[in-house]
Amino acid sequence: MSVIVTGASGKLGRVVAESLMERLPPAELVLVSRHPEALREFAARGADVRYGDFNEPGSLGEAFAGGGRMLLISTDAIGRRVPQHRAAIDAAVAAGVGHVVYTSHPNPVAGNPIGPIAEEHGETERMLHDSGIRWTVLRFGSFAELQVQPAALAIAAGRLVSNAGDGRIAPVSRRDCADAAAMVLTTDGHGGRTYEITGPEALSPRDLAAVFSDVSGRAVKVVPIGDRMLVMGLVLHGASRPIARAVAEFGRAVREGYFDLVDPAFETLTGRPPMSLREVLIPRRGDLLEVA
Ligand SMILES: NC(=O)c1ccc[n+]([C@@H]2O[C@H](COP(=O)([O-])OP(=O)(O)OC[C@H]3O[C@@H](n4cnc5c(N)ncnc54)[C@H](OP(=O)(O)O)[C@@H]3O)[C@@H](O)[C@H]2O)c1
């Protein structure tokens, strides 16, 4: 039976596809995307590339036909994801997919300051539990690659401005998230399980600044700031108010401990430790110093 990956042309989707290519005959890999043309290289290597859009439920029957297991990659359409993910789960059930693996988020609970981002993941987890299909939830920590831009800005300014207090995150690379997903999709015993996929260490803003300094060779000090001042400062520097608010809400969630989690699940699943933030940033040193 084939393994389906939805949203396969996204940044995570592509790495998952690569990881599955190492574990499966290409003909058993079904890559579903709104942009099949962007996956030509995988089609050329033998993968079955199909069109599918959660906003067009009618496209999903054909897209999911014959699939045994499916990775449902959460979309980036914040505010519209519950109906999208419901359409995907319903279509998977209708197509006879045996097992859906979903990419969720740490602490997808009401009260998490990141609001709809957490609530939509929580709602999708509940839909899966109620769907009757075999499911696995992978709660990915904050992607380590998302630290490249803030690191570059902090290195250029010599200052990491943060409203996260002493709160900590455990950044995890997309590569490791993809390998965890590929393991769950190609081995047995994961039904009904929720795995927290995190990096190897929980880092406060002070720790992040130390990593940025270490990787760049430049001094970076932490400048603590309140939520309102952070929003004002970001808007003054050209950010839209919704983006500025989202950044501040993320910092507040970190400060309040919603991301402070290091879990051994990745190493248990794959047999190797997850990459550290330093290991993710070192090959990107050129990008980090570009702004400086
Ligand atoms: N853990 C974290 O730090 C973190 C951070 C940001 C986001 N995320 C979540 O993880 C997901 C993957 O991250 P990424 O970095 O790969 O993001 P990305 O490159 O922006 O990818 C967006 C993904 O959403 C899919 N998508 C959007 N609209 C869709 C629709 N109508 N129907 C089906 N799929 C749709 C895209 O698939 P196609 O374009 O191929 O159709 C693609 O896989 C994000 O979408 C988001 O839910 C996690």
Side-chain angles (χ1 to χ4, degrees):
M1 282 285 250
S2 301
V3 171
I4 302 171
V5 179
T6 74
S9 82
K11 292 184 275 300
L12 177 67
R14 285 174 170 278
V15 198
V16 173
E18 282 297 349
S19 189
L20 284 169
M21 283 286 219
E22 291 165 13
R23 295 171 163 84
L24 287 175
E28 288 180 24
L29 181 57
V30 178
L31 301 178
V32 174
S33 172
R34 294 164 304 162
H35 310 290
E37 68 288 353
L39 294 165
R40 247 183 255 120
E41 76 218 61
F42 290 99
R45 287 155 67 192
D48 185 354
V49 176
R50 302 179 187 171
Y51 176 82
D53 182 340
F54 299 170
N55 290 334
E56 296 170 25
S59 69
L60 301 178
E62 214 169 300
F64 296 169
R69 295 180 182 182
M70 177 172 117
L71 180 66
L72 165 49
I73 293 188
S74 52
T75 81
D76 57 355
I78 294 163
R80 287 182 287 135
R81 295 191 289 185
V82 170
Q84 289 182 333
H85 296 166
R86 180 175 294 119
I89 293 167
D90 287 350
V93 172
V97 173
H99 186 166
V100 171
V101 180
Y102 174 65
T103 65
S104 190
H105 198 276
N107 277 304
V109 292
N112 187 325
I114 59 173
I117 297 180
E119 286 158 21
E120 289 176 329
H121 282 300
E123 185 55 30
T124 306
E125 290 191 11
R126 280 188 290 280
M127 289 189 293
L128 264 182
H129 299 171
D130 295 344
S131 68
I133 211 164
R134 189 178 304 122
W135 57 266
T136 305
V137 168
L138 299 173
R139 291 183 178 164
F140 294 148
S142 183
F143 292 152
E145 291 80 359
L146 298 180
Q147 292 297 323
V148 171
Q149 195 189 20
L153 293 171
I155 289 161
R159 306 181 315 154
L160 174 62
V161 179
S162 173
N163 67 331
D166 293 324
R168 301 187 300 172
I169 58 172
V172 58
S173 71
R174 282 196 189 89
R175 170 87 243 173
D176 287 344
C177 292
D179 283 352
M183 281 306 290
V184 168
L185 289 162
T186 56
T187 57
D188 293 330
H190 307 295
R193 304 287 301 272
T194 296
Y195 295 117
E196 306 281 351
I197 304 299
T198 74
E201 51 193 350
L203 305 170
S204 67
R206 201 180 299 270
D207 300 323
L208 290 172
V211 174
F212 300 164
S213 289
D214 178 33
V215 172
S216 66
R218 302 188 184 195
V220 178
K221 68 171 183 176
V222 177
V223 177
I225 192 170
D227 298 350
R228 285 182 53 205
M229 288 299 285
L230 180 62
V231 173
M232 276 171 59
L234 289 169
V235 170
L236 279 174
H237 281 85
S240 69
R241 194 161 285 275
I243 293 289
R245 281 213 195 97
V247 172
E249 283 160 3
F250 177 76
R252 195 180 131 213
V254 174
R255 186 173 76 228
E256 294 182 2
Y258 285 90
F259 286 85
D260 190 354
L261 178 70
V262 173
D263 194 283
F266 174 82
E267 189 159 357
T268 308
L269 282 170
T270 65
R272 67 172 173 85
M275 287 170 81
S276 66
L277 178 62
R278 192 173 181 282
E279 287 171 307
V280 173
L281 293 183
I282 282 177
R284 307 285 298 270
R285 207 166 169 271
D287 299 329
L288 297 181
L289 295 174
E290 215 165 68
V291 186

